[in-house]
Amino acid sequence: MNNNNLKKAFLEFLFNGAICTVLINYLQFHDWIKSLKFGLVFGIVMSVFYTVILPKFKKKQ
């Protein structure tokens, strides 16, 4: 991974994790600790998806 991919992965992690944390807190858990844990996991999964998995599918088409 080059520097640009790392930056993109980190921004995807922050963006998706922050949105998911806030939404899950208000919609489901009503507990910031559980919401942060869920948001961290979701942010990591989505950043890997957007920077590693999705580009492989785009290259095949």
Side-chain angles (χ1 to χ4, degrees), residues 1-59:
M1 283 180 108
N2 60 16
N3 193 19
N4 193 23
N5 283 347
L6 288 176
K7 184 179 177 181
K8 182 180 176 185
F10 183 68
L11 290 175
E12 288 289 342
F13 167 72
L14 288 179
F15 182 70
N16 289 311
I19 289 175
C20 180
T21 299
V22 172
L23 287 176
I24 288 296
N25 182 54
Y26 287 111
L27 297 176
Q28 186 175 2
F29 292 139
H30 305 293
D31 180 17
W32 280 109
I33 300 298
K34 286 182 184 178
S35 299
L36 274 173
K37 290 177 185 175
F38 189 84
L40 286 173
V41 171
F42 185 79
I44 290 170
V45 169
M46 292 308 288
S47 68
V48 168
F49 176 76
Y50 278 119
T51 57
V52 177
I53 298 170
L54 194 61
K56 288 182 181 179
F57 284 116
K58 286 184 177 180
K59 286 180 183 176

